[in-house]
Structures are given as C-alpha cells and as structure tokens.
Amino acid sequence: MIVNILYTMLFFFLLTSCTSKKNKELKNMDDITPKASYTKKNSSTIVISKDSSLISYFSSFNSWQIDSVNELESKFVPDRFSPIKSKKLIIYSSSDSTQFLSWKYKDSIDAKRSFYNFLDCVEKPCRPIQLFEEKKIASSNMVIFKDETTLICLKSSKRINVKDWLVFFNLNKTSTGFDIIIEQVKNGKTKWYSSTKEKYKHLTK
Amino acid sequence: MILDRGYIIVEPKQQFIDWLMKHQDTEPVKLEEVEPTVYLIDDDFMDDEIVLNKSYEEIFMYELESTAVHESFWPLITIEQFKEFFNVKIGVSVYDIKSK
C-alpha cells in the first residue's frame, strides 16, 4: 500500500515537472558567439574633421569629382621646421583618395632645410635620397613640389597627373612654378623636374 | 582588435617588372625592392579560387592604374594574366593593433 502511494506521488511529481509552463529564456546564438568589434565606417583614427569649404576649394578644378576632404592630424618631417601655414588632407573621390600635404615657410632658408630633411625620410622606412638621384623613396605614387617658400607632397594609389596639379596650383595662386618637382610612381624610381608657367623641364645630375 | 575582413596580398612577379620595363617611361625598381599590396575583402568565403575570381579584375585595375604605363599598352584583364604578373596570398586573420 505504502509502495503504491509512493509510486503515485512519484508519477504526479514527474507529470507536473514535465508539463511546467515556466517560460524558459531562449538564447540566440548570435548573442553569445564572439563577434568582431570592427566597424568598417569608423576604421580610421587619423581623420579628424570634414570641411565642405575644402571640397569646393578642390572641386574648383573641373575634372575632379571630389566626394569629401578630411583633415589629417599626423605629423611629418616638414612639420618640425616651423611652417607658418600647413594643410594636411585626404581628398576622396569616388574611386580613389589622394593625400595632400603642404607647408608654407617664412623664408627660403626654412623651406630648404625642411625640403632636405624631408628627402632623408619621406616615409617610413626612411630611404634617404640625394639631389637628382633616381631611386624608390615611397611605397605608393608620390609627387613632391618645392618652390621658394612652399613644400607640397601628394600621395595616391593611382598615378598622379603632375600637369593637372600644376594647372591647379597656378589657378589657385599657390605657385606659378616650382624649382624642384620629384615624381615617383609605384614600383618605379624618382624622376626630377622643374616647372615655370611655360615650361616643364626634366632635371638630371 | 580582430577585423571582420579577409585579405589578398598581391606581390608583383618578375614578369610584371619586365612588362613595366618595356612600357613605362620611368625605370622600375628591382624585384627585391617591390612591396606587396594588401587588399582587404569580405571575410565570408571558403574557397580561395572563388575569392580570387571575384576580386582579381578590380585588383588588376588598381595595379595597372598605379603604374606609369599608358592604357593602350595594358594587357587583357584575365585571371591567367593576373596570375602571370602577381603572386597572391589569401587569408582571413586581420588584426588592427592600433585600434583599441
């Protein structure tokens, strides 16, 4: 008899525990599996601001389809030589981006000091170069322009059209000519030029 | 920080340097000076060949546009030509050690 009562109790116990209506919380696998914390849109830490007036500045040149222009906070060798003005930007177009770096100095002595030091280390790893030497000094396509008091450096994944930029600098009254222009294409060696309003001349040793 | 990206490392071969030498107005560097380029891609793939077939045209165009060779001398954009010019490595382990 007692055994029967115990079996009956056990049966009811099992029955009630199996039919419990308690809502169990279901775990979503997406919530518990590890995820990458990378956000594609915010991957850059050096771009600090957007300025629409800069877009119109660069868009003044017809053939350029500029999407946005961002300011860079990185430091470069020419920053050490007390420029009176500097502009460090990344210009984005639909298919490409160009790094635009420019420094203006109070006189030609500062500009020269800055330029020659820049030639010792245009980018890491430093690959110092002598005047008119032909060698690789940068990983990507790069052009350096130097006039009396201004130093400009452009870098891009695509080849930089130097003549287009000369027209741009002329139009924007940045400079009508440069005593030195260094062009290096990706996987190529440097070539040296000079320019005036009328002439674009290849320079050699 | 782990990035949800895969990568394709593209390294020019001697054939590419020879082609540059033939058509470029500036002297190309030697093979040992050539640096590979890393292209970040989506990481949702299983088969390297599928990834390469999906991405090679865009990468090939990038590599050609970065040279000083006039477009009229560009080769046909085919997977065979791409493999003749470049070594590739494909993977998914991408870490950003500067982003905390």
Side-chain angles (χ1 to χ4, degrees), chain B residues 12-75:
Chain B
K13 290 182 182 175
Q14 187 59 50
Q15 288 93 322
F16 181 67
I17 304 299
D18 293 342
W19 176 78
L20 284 180
M21 188 91 85
K22 201 171 159 192
H23 298 293
Q24 195 166 267
D25 56 351
T26 58
E27 196 188 335
V29 292
K30 290 182 185 137
L31 189 63
E32 54 268 29
E33 288 181 88
V34 166
E35 287 172 58
T37 306
V38 181
Y39 294 89
L40 295 186
I41 53 171
D42 291 336
D43 68 349
D44 53 348
F45 63 82
M46 301 294 280
D47 187 315
D48 287 3
E49 277 305 306
I50 293 172
V51 177
L52 199 57
N53 277 312
K54 230 166 85 178
S55 313
Y56 84 89
E57 282 185 43
E58 198 176 350
I59 294 173
F60 208 165
M61 287 297 285
Y62 252 105
E63 292 292 333
L64 294 175
E65 283 172 351
S66 71
T67 68
V69 178
H70 191 270
E71 217 168 306
S72 57
F73 297 114
W74 286 8

Side-chain angles (χ1 to χ4, degrees), chain A residues 38 40 136 139 158 186, chain B residues 4-5 33 35 37 65:
Chain A
Y38 171 63
K40 283 172 189 169
K136 177 183 169 175
S139 303
K158 293 185 179 166
K186 190 183 171 188
Chain B
D4 53 350
R5 290 291 188 102
E33 288 181 88
E35 287 172 58
T37 306
E65 283 172 351

